[in-house]
Every structure is written in structure tokens, then in C-alpha cells.
């Protein structure tokens, strides 16, 4: 081990997705992962939301996940289900798939792209200067990199060593989750009390029982034990049901924090290293994967000398508000789920009634599915700063889709008007020019139908950076802003 352009700490979904994005852009990237294999103990994320499936579709790998998971309406707000089957997307659903399988599929893709993963190692410290980072690894090893990205979870060593503040709110509730065997028939299903939510569910005949129980107090510093779980069950149910043989036990809280900055010079953060919250709504993995897709192409362009370093400032500017909104809605949902009494019941009923109405349902479902993300790129066409819909196109080479044009993570100038008139010669090594016809309407979640543009500049992450026509003067500026100057090699 000597050096790479980028070293990623952590081979979870965020780190793996970021590595793939960088590799597609031709950047020299490696991952450092403390686990010796991709095996994962315990339950983490349980699947994907619609926008994350779209992101995977943009890279041509969505079918790898869809073939192993269960398509379903998974979006909800504080357990009020939100159906998105009428949303204008090729994937108007979520996907049930455990994180173990998600990571294995992503790791397989990363392997195909030739990214090395240094397993059984972890980042223990680093020092950075104006040119890069000297990274200390366990067992006396070291690496050099131009950039280090911390995808190493909520307790991120990279974030702590960089001195990046992690403000937010301390936990108000603590939960244990486990797979165990029981000696007695339990009270199946959900129970709610003044401490929170508890549940016992059967995984299958002959399989362990899934237990989730809210503890009586917060502030536990040690790793959870079978005795901790027994005490928590007795406090709620009056018995531990002959608890024994725990396959795994994990603790999570509603601690809610966000990194004050996603970047300190040559060190960046993504995923849980940058934001943590109560796992309600399954938003953590989604936000992390989309952090990676936003950062990957920008970091690659800086490394390759295509764009100046200031392009990296847009990563924090765009992604920090997105995660801040996730934290905000997660806290609201936690309050609705954990409270008891007539007043909180009335509030839950009111929210349920509200979300049964069409317009509120669409707004909240678009938020929870990630389909309404809007980066502030200025005034203009409604598509500007939003995800480009996956339109069915007709080109000189035959039919194709917008997402197919994004498979190699390269930006696209898509001309839906008359051919010719766009001279992008200074950027042709970086930007694809695609002429196509589109016969349908252009529709966005919540906003509805919008005017089909004459042309759009689509970033590698699938978001629209410019909208115009042959006479629009802003295209060269947009190309320069996002994909480097005319003089760039």
C-alpha cells in the first residue's frame, strides 16, 4: 500500500457507491474497511426508496437489486403509509432488501470496476497539508492520498480527527433490537407505552424471533448484552419469555446530529459520518448513497484537473440542506411515534387524516421518497436543479432512455429540438451531446406537468444544470461552472 488519488474510509453502501462513481470517472480510488469480509452482523437498512432505485438505474445496475428484493409501497410518515404508485417515475415504489445483500451487490460492482478494498484495516489517524493527506492505518500501515473521504459511520474517526463539529440533539430514547430464541410464546405484534414502541415478530418457522424494545433509560455507553435485553423486556412485558441464544443484539437511539461542514480542505464526509438520526422512514441509507453520487463526479473532476477545487464547495452547499430536512422530519416522526396519551393520539389521528388527502400525500411522499430534491441553481425552468425524468427518447440510432445516457456517469447535453446549433467542441471530451425526439409530456412529482424543454444539461448525478434552447446565452457559463473551462484538457 502506497497511495491513491482518493482513499475512502468504510465499505458500507455510501463508501461503495462513492468508490464506483469515482472509478467510472477514471479516478484512482481505494477503500479501507475494518471488516475482513462484506459480512454484516445485525439489522441495518432494509431497502431502497424510489429515488435511490432511480440512481441505481442511472448506472444500469438497478435490476441487480430488483431481482433480489421485494417491490412494495414502503414510504410512510410516522407509520402512515404513503402510496406513490401514481407518481411520474419508472419506479413508483420502494424495494425491500436487507443491507447485507445491498452491500454484497455493490461490492461485486465495485470489484468489476477494479477498485481495491484493503480489508482488515481501519483509519487510525491522518495529517493533511496543502497537497494531500497522509493516512495512518491499523497495524502500522499507511497510505497517501490527495483526498480522504470519511464514510465510516456516525462515530466517524475521520470526522473527529478532522475536528469537524457535529452539532445537534442528544438522544431522548434508546432501543434494543435483536434476533433471539424464546422459551415461551410471547405477545406478538406492536405495543406502545410512555417509553416508546416495542415489538416481537416471527421471522419464519424455526427461525429466531425479532425483538425491538425501547429501554427505560438512555445514556448506555457499553455494548448491549443479553442481560440488558432481558431487563428491557421484563420492564415492558413483565417477562423476558425465556430469552436465550441471541444471534445478535444492537442498540440505536434518536440522537440527531449533522456535521457543521462536509469538508475540511482535503478531507470530506458522506453518509452517517455527516448526519445521524432515528432510523424512521428508512432515510439514512438513501441520503448516504445520494451523497456519494453528488460528490463522486465532482471529486473526480477536481482530481483529473478538469475543474477547480471550488467545485467541491457545491457538495456541502447542495447536500447539507437535504440532510437537514431529513433530520427535521425524522425528529417530527419520532415525536409522533414515541408519545402516548390522548393529546398525542389526537395529533396522530390528525396527521393520518391530513395525509389521506391527495395533495398532502403527494408532498410528504415526494419528500420521503427523495423524488422532490431540489438544488438551488437559480431561477428558471422548473426542471433546473431537479432530477431529470427518465424520458423515452428516439435517436438516430434508435430508441433509448435518459437514464441509459447516464450509465457511464458522464454529463449529457440533451437536445430535444432541431439538430445542430449547439457548439460544445471545447467540452466534447467531457460532455455527451445527444440529439433526440420526445413525443410525451414532461411531469415532475408534486409539480405535475411542466413544459418540455428544447434542451437540458444533465449532470452525472441526474440533476439538471441548465435549461434552454439554441438561442440561450447561458450554456457556455453552465458548462464552465460544472464541467471546467474551455481551456481545460
Amino acid at each position: 500500500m502506497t497511495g491513491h488519488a482518493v482513499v475512502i474510509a468504510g465499505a458500507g453502501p455510501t463508501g461503495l457507491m462513492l468508490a464506483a462513481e469515482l472509478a467510472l470517472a477514471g479516478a484512482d480510488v481505494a477503500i479501507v474497511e475494518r471488516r475482513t469480509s462484506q459480512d454484516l452482523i445485525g439489522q441495518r437498512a432494509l431497502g431502497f426508496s424510489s429515488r435511490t432505485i432511480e440512481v441505481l438505474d442511472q448506472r444500469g445496475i438497478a435490476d441487480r437489486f430488483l431481482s433480489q428484493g421485494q417491490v412494495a409501497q414502503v414510504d410512510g410518515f410516522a407509520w402512515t403509509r404513503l402510496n406513490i404508485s401514481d407518481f411520474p417515475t419508472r419506479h413508483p415504489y420502494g424495494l425491500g432488501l436487507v443491507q447485507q445483500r445491498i452491500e454484497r451487490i455493490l461490492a461485486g460492482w465495485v470489484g468489476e470496476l477494479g477498485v481495491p478494498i484493503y480489508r482488515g484495516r481501519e483509519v487510525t489517524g491522518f495529517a493533511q497539508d496543502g497537497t494531500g493527506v497522509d493516512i495512518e492505518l491499523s497495524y502500522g500501515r499507511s497510505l497517501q492520498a490527495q483526498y480522504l473521504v470519511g464514510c465510516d459511520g456516525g462515530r466517524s474517526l475521520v470526522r473527529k480527527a478532522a475536528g469537524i463539529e457535529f452539532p445537534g440533539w442528544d438522544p431522548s430514547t434508546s432501543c434494543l433490537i435483536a434476533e433471539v430464541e424464546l422459551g415461551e410464546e410471547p405477545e406478538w405484534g406492536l405495543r406502545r407505552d410512555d417509553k416508546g414502541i416495542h415489538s416481537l415478530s416471527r421471522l419464519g418457522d424455526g427461525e429466531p424471533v425479532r425483538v425491538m424494545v425501547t429501554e427505560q433509560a438512555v445514556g448506555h455507553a457499553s455494548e448491549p448484552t443479553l442481560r440488558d435485553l432481558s431487563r428491557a423486556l421484563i420492564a415492558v412485558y413483565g417477562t423476558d419469555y425465556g430469552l436465550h441464544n441471541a444471534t445478535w443484539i444492537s442498540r440505536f437511539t434518536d440522537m440527531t446530529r449533522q456535521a457543521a461542514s462536509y469538508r475540511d480542505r482535503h478531507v470530506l464526509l458522506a453518509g452517517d459520518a455527516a448526519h445521524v438520526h432515528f432510523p424512521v422512514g428508512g432515510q439514512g441509507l438513501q441520503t448516504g448513497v445520494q451523497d456519494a453520487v453528488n460528490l463522486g463526479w465532482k471529486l473526480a473532476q477536481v482530481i483529473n484537473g478538469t475543474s477547480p477545487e471550488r467545485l467541491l464547495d457545491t457538495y456541502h452547499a447542495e447536500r447539507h440542506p437535504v440532510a437537514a430536512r431529513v433530520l427535521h422530519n425524522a425528529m417530527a416522526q419520532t415525536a409522533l411515534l414515541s408519545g402516548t396519551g390522548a393529546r398525542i393520539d389526537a395529533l396522530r389521528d390528525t396527521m393520518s387524516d391530513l395525509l389521506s388527502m391527495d395533495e398532502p400525500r403527494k408532498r410528504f411522499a415526494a419528500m420521503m421518497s427523495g423524488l422532490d430534491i431540489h438544488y438551488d441553481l437559480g431561477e428558471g425552468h422548473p426542471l433546473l436543479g431537479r432530477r431529470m425524468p427518465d424520458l423515452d427518447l428516439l435517436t438516430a440510432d434508435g430508441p433509448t432512455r435518459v437514464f441509459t445516457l447516464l450509465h457511464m456517469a458522464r454529463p449529457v447535453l440533451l437536445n430535444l429540438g432541431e439538430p445542430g446549433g449547439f457548439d460544445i467542441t471545447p467540452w466534447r471530451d467531457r460532455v455527451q451531446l445527444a440529439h433526440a425526439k420526445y413525443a410525451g409530456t414532461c411531469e415532475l412529482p408534486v409539480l405535475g406537468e411542466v413544459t418540455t424543454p428544447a434542451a437540458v444539461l444533465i449532470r452525472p448525478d441526474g440533476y439538471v444544470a441548465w435549461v434552454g434552447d439554441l438561442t440561450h446565452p447561458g450554456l457556455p457559463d453552465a458548462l464552465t461552472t460544472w464541467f471546467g473551462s474551455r481551456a481545460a484538457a
Side-chain angles (χ1 to χ4, degrees):
M1 293 186 284
T2 54
H4 299 274
V6 181
V7 169
I8 298 169
T14 301
L16 291 167
M17 192 72 198
L18 178 58
E21 293 290 295
L22 287 162
L24 285 171
D28 173 23
V29 56
I31 303 175
V32 175
E33 168 56 45
R34 62 178 178 80
R35 290 175 290 169
T36 57
S37 72
Q38 209 61 48
D39 290 344
L40 191 64
I41 297 175
Q43 176 181 297
R44 306 291 177 86
L46 295 175
F48 293 136
S49 66
S50 176
R51 178 55 189 156
T52 308
I53 300 171
E54 285 192 340
V55 166
L56 299 169
D57 199 357
Q58 288 173 183
R59 299 298 179 257
I61 61 168
D63 287 346
R64 302 188 188 193
F65 300 90
L66 292 169
S67 65
Q68 293 196 32
Q70 179 64 51
V71 168
Q73 292 298 325
V74 302
D75 289 307
F77 189 86
W79 287 6
T80 296
R81 283 289 173 217
L82 301 169
N83 192 312
I84 66 168
S85 59
D86 59 344
F87 272 33
T89 170
R90 204 173 294 270
H91 304 286
Y93 46 73
L95 182 71
L97 186 65
V98 295
Q99 186 167 328
Q100 176 80 273
R101 291 188 181 181
I102 290 171
E103 289 194 12
R104 285 178 176 171
I105 296 169
L106 283 173
W109 182 41
V110 165
E112 293 169 15
L113 295 172
V115 177
I117 301 180
Y118 300 125
R119 296 195 177 276
R121 300 278 188 271
E122 58 185 321
V123 174
T124 58
F126 60 84
Q128 61 171 319
D129 56 25
T131 60
V133 191
D134 292 321
I135 305 164
E136 301 170 7
L137 305 182
S138 52
Y139 306 108
R141 300 294 187 95
S142 64
L143 280 171
Q144 288 76 45
Q146 289 176 249
Y147 289 91
L148 169 65
V149 186
C151 300
D152 50 343
R155 300 174 182 175
S156 172
L157 182 143
V158 173
R159 184 191 66 241
K160 294 173 183 176
I164 296 174
E165 294 184 4
F166 202 42
W169 295 267
D170 290 333
S172 65
T173 187
S174 177
C175 300
L176 294 175
I177 187 168
E179 287 183 7
V180 300
E181 294 181 19
L182 301 180
E184 306 168 17
E185 188 78 3
E187 175 189 314
W188 298 110
L190 293 172
R191 175 188 280 202
R192 191 197 308 271
D193 61 22
D194 62 341
K195 291 298 180 182
I197 296 172
H198 325 281
S199 71
L200 294 105
S201 57
R202 193 189 302 275
L203 297 177
D205 291 340
E207 295 290 321
V209 171
R210 175 71 50 78
V211 176
M212 199 277 281
V213 59
T214 303
E215 296 183 277
Q216 300 300 297
V218 298
H220 303 279
S222 59
E223 291 297 314
T225 64
L226 195 64
R227 184 170 178 79
D228 292 331
L229 184 59
S230 173
R231 287 173 173 170
L233 284 170
I234 291 171
V236 174
Y237 295 94
T239 176
D240 67 2
Y241 298 111
L243 174 75
H244 62 284
N245 289 351
T247 306
W248 54 266
I249 306 173
S250 181
R251 175 181 283 120
F252 63 93
T253 74
D254 65 340
M255 181 175 72
T256 305
R257 297 186 180 278
Q258 185 175 22
S261 174
Y262 284 13
R263 178 185 170 214
D264 175 46
R265 296 169 289 166
H266 287 255
V267 176
L268 300 111
L269 304 175
D272 289 353
H275 39 76
V276 296
H277 57 86
F278 196 64
V280 62
Q283 299 174 93
L285 183 147
Q286 325 304 324
T287 310
V289 167
Q290 293 172 55
D291 285 347
V293 175
N294 185 285
L295 175 60
W297 65 274
K298 297 174 180 178
L299 186 53
Q301 287 186 179
V302 172
I303 289 166
N304 294 335
T306 300
S307 296
E309 197 172 297
R310 65 176 176 270
L311 180 63
L312 296 178
D313 295 336
T314 68
Y315 169 58
H316 173 94
E318 293 180 350
R319 294 303 299 171
H320 194 277
V322 171
R325 188 174 69 155
V326 169
L327 268 58
H328 188 263
N329 79 54
M331 288 193 294
Q333 292 181 79
T334 304
L336 284 169
L337 289 172
S338 60
T340 58
R343 289 178 175 83
I344 197 70
D345 288 344
L347 178 58
R348 274 194 290 267
D349 290 343
T350 301
M351 283 299 300
S352 180
D353 288 344
L354 177 69
L355 294 176
S356 69
M357 302 174 190
D358 207 41
E359 184 65 19
R361 171 188 65 87
K362 288 181 178 180
R363 287 186 177 273
F364 275 73
M367 174 179 68
M368 297 304 296
S369 64
L371 290 169
D372 73 341
I373 291 172
H374 179 211
Y375 299 135
D376 184 6
L377 303 187
E379 298 294 324
H381 191 282
L383 277 172
L384 188 63
R386 290 184 168 89
R387 53 178 271 288
M388 181 65 190
D390 186 23
L391 308 179
D392 288 306
L393 307 173
L394 182 61
T395 72
D397 297 324
T400 190
R401 297 162 43 202
V402 168
F403 285 5
T404 301
L405 300 176
L406 294 170
H407 281 184
M408 297 309 296
R410 293 188 64 206
V412 179
L413 177 59
L414 176 60
N415 177 26
L416 297 174
E418 292 300 318
F422 288 98
D423 181 14
I424 64 166
T425 302
W427 294 275
R428 65 184 176 188
D429 61 327
R430 287 160 270 160
V431 180
Q432 306 170 73
L433 176 58
H435 298 285
K437 296 294 183 181
Y438 175 64
T441 59
C442 194
E443 189 176 359
L444 293 172
V446 182
L447 297 182
E449 284 191 21
V450 299
T451 304
T452 301
V456 288
L457 180 61
I458 309 170
R459 307 189 321 189
D461 57 1
Y463 289 84
V464 176
W466 170 87
V467 183
D469 57 30
L470 299 180
T471 63
H472 198 289
L475 178 58
D477 288 342
L479 287 164
T480 300
T481 296
W482 296 110
F483 310 116
S485 66
R486 295 171 180 266

